[in-house]
Amino acid sequence: MDEYMSAPRVWGLMCPGSREEVTRARRWTRDILSNHPCADDAELIVSELGSNALTHTASGTAYGTFQLTLSLSPRTVAISVTDEGGHPEEVSPTEADADDTHGRGLTIVMALARRLDITGGQYGRTVTAQLVAPETGATTC
């Protein structure tokens, strides 16, 4: 039956717009990527992108949602979070002051990911971070 399996494998999770859903999305990611060298980085990226969707878009409203998609190929993990929009400005990393408690999310994601793509606009955006596993023998992304 393996000869009929396609690569990459893709999983999707729809999350209601509440903070508890970020925790659920992290656990879900950890379960799918168990024993994968990129699991820790992927979990952190899911947390950052999910939190951003809830904080900065209509996804965080009473009836809002965000969609998480994981795509896994032999060495690559792609993490996509799609929000419901409602924020007309373009998404970009910010320079947070040392005392700020917010404003470092995309900067952290960019430091961890091999590639970061942002598509869409005020009616919904998808932020995709790509992780690439190291060659065999290494233990982290």
Side-chain angles (χ1 to χ4, degrees):
M1 193 65 147
D2 287 335
E3 68 268 15
Y4 298 108
M5 299 293 285
S6 65
R9 296 181 307 183
V10 178
W11 292 265
L13 179 67
M14 182 67 75
C15 299
S18 67
R19 296 280 166 202
E20 299 81 31
E21 291 300 311
V22 174
T23 302
R24 183 171 75 102
R26 288 178 65 174
R27 265 194 315 264
W28 181 79
T29 300
R30 171 66 66 188
D31 288 346
I32 290 171
L33 297 177
S34 64
N35 299 320
H36 192 282
C38 294
D40 291 337
D41 290 349
E43 186 178 0
L44 179 55
I45 288 171
V46 164
S47 182
E48 292 297 336
L49 296 182
S51 293
N52 282 353
L54 294 177
T55 301
H56 301 293
T57 75
S59 293
T61 61
Y63 297 102
T65 63
F66 68 93
Q67 166 108 23
L68 170 61
T69 305
L70 295 178
S71 177
L72 180 63
S73 62
R75 286 193 53 224
T76 304
V77 177
I79 302 143
S80 297
V81 172
T82 302
D83 64 47
E84 292 191 352
H87 198 275
E89 291 91 34
E90 278 193 37
V91 177
S92 63
T94 60
E95 286 289 323
D97 290 332
D99 296 338
D100 289 347
T101 58
H102 297 287
R104 294 176 183 83
L106 277 182
T107 303
I108 291 169
V109 172
M110 288 171 52
L112 295 172
R114 170 77 55 95
R115 179 179 175 156
L116 182 72
D117 293 313
I118 302 170
T119 58
Q122 75 180 61
Y123 301 108
R125 285 188 180 83
T126 299
V127 180
T128 302
Q130 183 184 53
L131 298 170
V132 177
E135 298 293 330
T136 55
T139 57
T140 62
C141 274

